[in-house]
Amino acid sequence: MFLDVLDLRNFYAQSLGRITAHYIYQRIRQHWPNVNGLSILGVGYALPYIRSMRTGAERTLVFMPARQGAVYWPSDGASLTSLVDPDRLPLPDSCMDRIILVHMLELVDSPADHLREIWRVLTPGGRLLIVVPNRRGVWARMEHTPFAYGRPFSKGQLTHLLRDTMFTPVRWSEALHFGPFKGKSWFGPARWWEKIGARLWPAFSGVLIVEATKLLRQGLPSKEANLMQSSFRPVFLPVPNLPNSAAKMPMRNPFFDWQGDDHWIDED
């Protein structure tokens, strides 16, 4: 179940949403301090975290699920956002250097299928950054935040999922150690709660952030197989005469017919 793009935009327009984006973005910049000259893709609702990366990056794109809807961004030029099917991204193989998933992996029907598609478009040696709700955290239980929807993850679950889809986790971090309270009186000391929580209760953070790299598996030739092959000589046989009316296998039509309630709204 995907959240509506209006709900996500309204959350990040509020005071709680702005503070949330601030502390998550701090952790993201620790993982990726320099993105100059790189191609970056944000999938889900990554606008609050990818906006400032646009200036130094070679190319910046934002893909949003068709069942969620999309906003027009940036407002001062051609749109860099697109509605997509999460399991069929409209990109060629190995074309993006950095990919960030926010409000995405916990909401898709099949996280493994989506990560395999992310693996396809990520360059060899490229980096994937995933932000997901922490199963142990309070934020996964407070429905006035978007992190309370979908399936939250633990570190163990996310590690198994990444390894099953040929990714290797290389670095972990946490964010949102303060409570998701609406009162403005909590926003001032949120900085102190974030520092104290990172030291005293990191396992109960609101979100988990994991950086992973694309794993390439290569088969090694067997020495036994090489020795056996060298002891035989090739024998050329005549090609049999096949009837001209041999049946041909039907080809699958690659056309993909998307049916869904796609909708767009303008981002102010």
Side-chain angles (χ1 to χ4, degrees), residues 215-235:
L215 178 63
L216 296 176
R217 296 178 180 174
Q218 181 179 3
L220 298 177
S222 173
K223 294 183 179 180
E224 285 187 11
N226 292 338
L227 292 175
M228 292 180 62
Q229 292 177 1
S230 61
S231 61
F232 292 94
R233 295 191 310 169
V235 178

Side-chain angles (χ1 to χ4, degrees), residues 67-252:
R67 287 188 291 168
Q68 168 191 288
V71 296
Y72 190 99
W73 176 79
S75 58
D76 58 350
S79 179
L80 299 176
T81 62
S82 177
L83 288 170
V84 299
D85 178 359
D87 298 336
R88 299 187 182 184
L89 300 181
L91 290 174
D93 297 347
S94 304
C95 64
M96 303 305 295
D97 300 309
R98 299 288 187 271
I99 300 179
I100 178 172
L101 305 182
V102 187
H103 301 300
M104 188 65 192
L105 194 64
E106 69 270 22
L107 299 172
V108 294
D109 295 332
S110 177
D113 290 342
H114 179 61
L115 285 180
R116 292 187 186 100
E117 184 67 1
I118 294 295
W119 188 95
R120 181 184 67 81
V121 302
L122 190 64
T123 59
R127 294 300 177 97
L128 168 66
L129 197 66
I130 304 176
V131 181
V132 292
N134 184 4
R135 180 176 292 276
R136 296 182 177 181
V138 180
W139 287 72
R141 295 167 175 81
M142 306 294 284
E143 294 186 357
H144 62 275
T145 77
F147 299 100
Y149 295 87
R151 61 177 73 80
F153 287 88
S154 65
K155 277 190 177 182
Q157 292 171 334
L158 201 53
T159 299
H160 288 301
L161 179 61
L162 287 170
R163 289 176 177 172
D164 288 344
T165 52
M166 292 192 295
F167 284 100
T168 301
V170 294
R171 187 180 177 186
W172 293 84
S173 62
E174 301 86 16
L176 307 184
H177 298 90
F178 58 93
F181 304 113
K182 294 183 179 181
K184 293 184 178 180
S185 59
W186 290 92
F187 299 157
R191 176 167 59 98
W192 301 106
W193 285 115
E194 191 72 5
K195 290 183 178 181
I196 295 173
R199 291 176 176 270
L200 300 182
W201 52 85
F204 300 97
S205 63
V207 296
L208 298 174
I209 303 173
V210 57
E211 182 180 2
T213 185
K214 182 175 180 177
L215 178 63
L216 296 176
R217 296 178 180 174
Q218 181 179 3
L220 298 177
S222 173
K223 294 183 179 180
E224 285 187 11
N226 292 338
L227 292 175
M228 292 180 62
Q229 292 177 1
S230 61
S231 61
F232 292 94
R233 295 191 310 169
V235 178
F236 297 97
L237 300 177
V239 178
N241 294 325
L242 299 177
N244 295 330
S245 60
K248 298 181 179 180
M249 294 295 292
M251 296 182 65
R252 182 181 178 184

Side-chain angles (χ1 to χ4, degrees), residues 42-83:
V43 186
Y45 193 81
L47 286 184
Y49 311 102
I50 206 173
R51 279 193 179 102
S52 60
M53 300 182 187
R54 183 189 171 201
T55 55
E58 176 190 9
R59 176 177 49 180
T60 306
L61 299 174
V62 178
F63 286 170
M64 299 186 181
R67 287 188 291 168
Q68 168 191 288
V71 296
Y72 190 99
W73 176 79
S75 58
D76 58 350
S79 179
L80 299 176
T81 62
S82 177
L83 288 170

